[in-house]
Each structure stands twice: as C-alpha cells, then as structure tokens.
Amino acid sequence: MSSKQHPAREAGVFSRRNLLKGAVASALAIPMVGSAHNKTVADNDPEDKVDLSQEHAFYGTAEQAGIATPPQRYIMYMTFDMTSTNPRDLQVLLARWSSAIAQLMKGETLGQVEPIRDSGVGADTGEALDLGPASLTVTVGLGPRIFTDAFGLAKYKPALMRELVQLPSDNLKAELTGGDLSLQACADDPQVAYHAIRNLTRIAKDTGAAETRWSVLGFGRASAGKGQSTPRNLFGFKDGTRNITEKDDIDKFVWIDDGGPAWQQRGSYQVVRKIMMRMENWDTDRVSDQNNIFGRHKVSGAPLSGTKEFDTPDFTKKDESGNLVIPATAHISLAAHENNNGIRILRRSYNFTDGLNNEGMLSAGLLFISYQKDPAHFETLQAKLGASDAMNEYISHVGSGIFFVPPAPKEGSYIGAEMFEA
C-alpha cells in the first residue's frame, strides 16, 4: 500500500532513543560515547522512529492496508454482531464504514466536532484533533455468518471460509469469541486508533445494523515487519524473529489467488486469538527454563543452537549428553516451517493488558493476529503447539475469531460491494 507525508505534520518525526540519551547526557553533564553511531542506528531503524504525519491509503487495487503494512505500535481491535439480517443494512454499513475509514486514515474528522448550533451533536468525537494520521490503518473483516442464507449471501462465500476447528489449546469464553464483522485499527498513536474504532462504532449504532461484541486495546507490537527490529512480548522474549516479511513469501502464503471470483483475489483470512499469560508464574521460573520453553536466549533472541538472533535454528543439534539443544517441545521448534511441511503465516500480534483479574493478579497477554491464504495453515500449527508446546503451562487461549478480509475497494466503491451488485 502506498503512503505519504501529511503536510500539517512535517515536524512530527522524533527519535525516542536519541531524546532519552540526550536528556540523560545533559542531566549528568557528561559526553555521550558513540553518539554519532547511535544517531546513525536510530536514523536507519524504523522501530526507533515515529512519524505522526505518515498516512496510508484505504482505497486501492490490491489488498487492504494493515496486513502487509509494517506493524504500527498500537492496536484497537473490535468485533461486531449484526443485529439485522437484511443484506441492505449490511451494505449500508460497509459503505458508510469505507467512506469514514478513508477519511480517518488521512487524519481527517468525520464531520463537525463542534456544531454551530447549541443543540447540535458532534459528528466526530474530536479526541484525535491535531494528532495527525499517525500511520493509521483500519482493516475490515467479514465473519462466517455473513456468508450464509441468513443474509442471502451464501453464494458469495469464499472457498475456504468456515469456523475454526476445535483446538487443543482452546479455553474459549463465549463473550470473547466469534463475531460477524471485525475492525483492526493500528496506529503509532493509541488515541488515533481508539478514535477510529469509537467513531466507526457510532456509525454501526447509527445504522442500527450491528452492535459491539468484544474488543482489545493493545500496545507494543509483538511482530516485526520488513525493516523493523524484533519487538518483545510480555514474557520478555523477542517475538516474530522468523515472521515472513518478503513480498514473495507474502504473495505465496497470505494472499488468496485461487482463480475464484475477482473480488476475493488479494484477500486473506484473518485469525485472531486472545491469549492470557500467567505472569506471576512465569516471573518465578528460572530463565534457563524460560529459554528452553522458547528455544531462544532471552536477551539476544538467538536460537539455543546459535549465537545471533537471525541464525537459522538447528533442531537436530545435541549437547554432550545427547540431548537436543533446542528441546522438541520448544515453541520455535513446534512452530518452525521446517517442521511443518513448509507452512508459514504472517503474524501481526500485539501485547495487551486488562489490568488486574478478580484474584488481584496481572491480567495481560498477547492479542495474536495472523493472516494466511488458508485457515487450515493456522490450525495445523496451533494443533501442534496446543498439544505439545512447553509454553502451555503459562498461557491460555480465551478468545478466538476468524474473518475473511476482502481486498481494498477502488475509490468510489466500498468493502464487499460485489456481494450486492446483483
């Protein structure tokens, strides 16, 4: 997807690392060793740079933004249930959403924030005024029930669209599972992402077509895109080192290209899982055991069979006692494409927190989101992980959903328009 600079926010570029180092050096009145080198690293590392003037296009001729787009820092994810089975109500909602998303991704408001008349109600809630686009992307997904006789749209069902099979890791809560529609808003400012979902929810309510089902506000991306340094999950480990980032791989594993209806090509299947992490239990485990669970060293991210993060793991290497250096139950071993007939998926996950649970313990975890051309690819990997992953002692899959993500609409059209042309 193309992107450009927002003219009103040309000065919105800053480097957190340089800012902090400059403040520390000034406070201590000492020279910064290697400052030139640090500046070079920051200038060439998108992970260390935020440009709140950056914007992405919603309309296009290929896939929706927010999938192969380099992951932003924050996410607001929400699912919806249709409250009407009239396909025209769904059509109106998708059309209004599409128009609104195009404006939001430009950093614009959805109408007046402060009406002239005292009796007027703001068309836009206003909390993103002056914040700029902040690289906002809003990605729209359609759930399995959309493509049923309930809406008269069964004939438009993508070939592989269905509910996910039951998986060994499932401990799902009904209120955190399913949905007819999904909105994934990612941005480099959390208030921009929140504002987008808040106002799109108002539109859904205004049309009377849909109501909210479940949502997650996430922070700290937990997957890397092309050119980005690898972030860390809340267990403190680098997450997404082997994520696919190259165009050829994304074309091969993510985009639908099955010779079916033209409007489905360059679409994808979105799988979302809300995964709770048992923080207190994890924090008391010795780090050597944590390393064995992941199959990587905590600080460097290197596989236990290597010395650097991006070393290719050697799953056959043994120590002097004849034991596998990377245990067979290690997360990276079970998830590796080398051990799964070449299957790969595109991960776009985020950390989240819900505060404290009823027992006063940390309620936090991973909002796992993946994109793949076949939902069975996710199921194959997760069935293996759910059955054997040593990490299962510390996590619980409590939420789940699957959605078909159509390609981007052309300008003047809207998401899924082809379903309503007959």
Side-chain angles (χ1 to χ4, degrees):
M1 280 293 178
S2 61
S3 60
K4 62 183 180 179
Q5 304 297 312
H6 193 274
R9 298 288 295 180
E10 289 291 345
V13 181
F14 65 89
S15 169
R16 292 181 300 159
R17 191 176 298 162
N18 280 353
L19 182 65
L20 289 170
K21 288 183 177 179
V24 171
S26 297
L28 298 178
I30 57 175
M32 297 198 312
V33 178
S35 59
H37 169 73
N38 290 332
K39 183 180 186 302
T40 300
V41 171
D43 286 346
N44 291 282
D45 184 358
E47 158 64 10
D48 198 62
K49 211 169 189 179
V50 175
D51 182 355
L52 298 179
S53 72
Q54 188 85 355
E55 71 176 70
H56 297 282
F58 174 66
Y59 297 113
T61 58
E63 65 277 357
Q64 284 192 63
I67 302 175
T69 308
Q72 304 92 319
R73 282 172 169 74
Y74 304 96
I75 188 172
M76 181 73 183
Y77 184 91
M78 183 172 283
T79 69
F80 298 77
D81 287 332
M82 289 295 296
T83 53
S84 167
T85 56
N86 185 335
R88 297 306 163 199
D89 290 337
L90 174 62
Q91 180 183 20
V92 169
L93 176 59
L94 292 175
R96 289 190 61 184
W97 269 0
S98 297
S99 176
I101 291 169
Q103 290 177 252
L104 291 165
M105 286 174 56
K106 292 178 182 178
E108 298 174 357
T109 62
L110 300 182
Q112 287 185 321
V113 174
E114 187 175 2
I116 297 174
R117 291 183 299 175
D118 290 341
S119 60
V121 176
D124 186 287
T125 53
E127 71 270 24
L129 277 174
D130 306 318
L131 294 182
S135 296
L136 174 69
T137 58
V138 182
T139 310
V140 183
L142 309 176
R145 196 170 74 101
I146 295 297
F147 303 103
T148 66
D149 290 333
F151 295 90
L153 299 174
K155 65 181 179 180
Y156 296 103
K157 183 175 76 71
L160 302 179
M161 188 58 178
R162 55 176 173 76
E163 297 286 358
L164 293 172
V165 301
Q166 187 171 353
L167 295 163
S169 53
D170 286 354
N171 187 25
L172 306 181
K173 298 180 179 179
E175 67 271 21
L176 298 174
T177 300
D180 296 328
L181 302 167
S182 72
L183 291 176
Q184 172 197 279
C186 300
D188 282 324
D189 186 319
Q191 194 150 313
V192 170
Y194 180 85
H195 168 262
I197 296 297
R198 179 182 179 185
N199 283 269
L200 293 170
T201 300
R202 291 182 79 198
I203 291 174
K205 182 178 180 181
D206 182 55
T207 63
E211 62 184 9
T212 57
R213 183 170 180 85
W214 59 281
S215 68
V216 176
L217 178 61
F219 62 92
R221 61 180 181 81
S223 293
K226 187 175 177 62
Q228 293 180 322
S229 61
T230 311
R232 295 182 185 272
N233 57 41
L234 295 184
F235 281 161
F237 279 77
K238 291 193 173 186
D239 204 333
T241 297
R242 307 193 80 196
N243 201 20
I244 57 176
T245 58
E246 298 301 324
K247 182 181 182 301
D248 288 347
D249 287 331
I250 294 174
D251 286 342
K252 180 178 180 180
F253 295 104
V254 177
W255 307 131
I256 294 172
D257 183 19
D258 59 6
W263 75 277
Q264 297 176 7
Q265 309 308 297
R266 303 296 287 188
S268 190
Y269 294 96
Q270 176 195 80
V271 171
V272 57
R273 308 281 281 186
K274 185 173 184 179
I275 305 173
M276 302 303 299
M277 294 177 167
R278 301 183 180 96
M279 298 298 184
E280 286 84 355
N281 293 352
W282 178 262
D283 292 344
T284 60
D285 191 18
R286 62 185 186 277
V287 175
S288 59
D289 188 47
Q290 294 179 355
N291 290 347
N292 284 330
I293 289 171
F294 271 95
R296 293 188 178 276
H297 290 285
K298 191 167 189 175
V299 174
S300 68
L304 299 183
S305 60
T307 58
K308 298 179 181 179
E309 179 188 352
F310 294 101
D311 288 346
T312 300
D314 182 350
F315 299 111
T316 64
K317 185 177 182 179
K318 295 183 179 180
D319 60 21
E320 295 178 354
S321 300
N323 299 314
L324 289 171
V325 173
I326 300 177
T329 57
H331 186 77
I332 67 166
S333 179
L334 294 167
H337 61 273
E338 296 94 335
N339 300 330
N340 289 284
N341 297 316
I343 289 176
R344 306 188 73 177
I345 60 178
L346 176 65
R347 298 174 72 260
R348 193 182 178 87
S349 303
Y350 285 83
N351 300 310
F352 74 87
T353 179
D354 293 332
L356 300 177
N357 62 23
N358 292 335
E359 288 75 41
M361 302 180 76
L362 293 171
S363 179
L366 184 73
L367 179 67
F368 174 94
I369 301 175
S370 67
Y371 290 92
Q372 48 276 302
K373 67 194 315 180
D374 185 346
H377 292 173
F378 166 79
E379 291 169 335
T380 297
L381 296 177
Q382 190 52 48
K384 195 171 183 180
L385 289 164
S388 305
D389 194 350
M391 197 184 301
N392 291 334
E393 180 181 351
Y394 300 95
I395 63 174
S396 180
H397 289 236
V398 298
S400 180
I402 180 171
F403 301 88
F404 169 66
V405 178
K410 296 178 182 178
E411 192 150 7
S413 187
Y414 55 92
I415 290 287
E418 295 80 358
M419 296 189 297
F420 308 100
E421 290 178 348

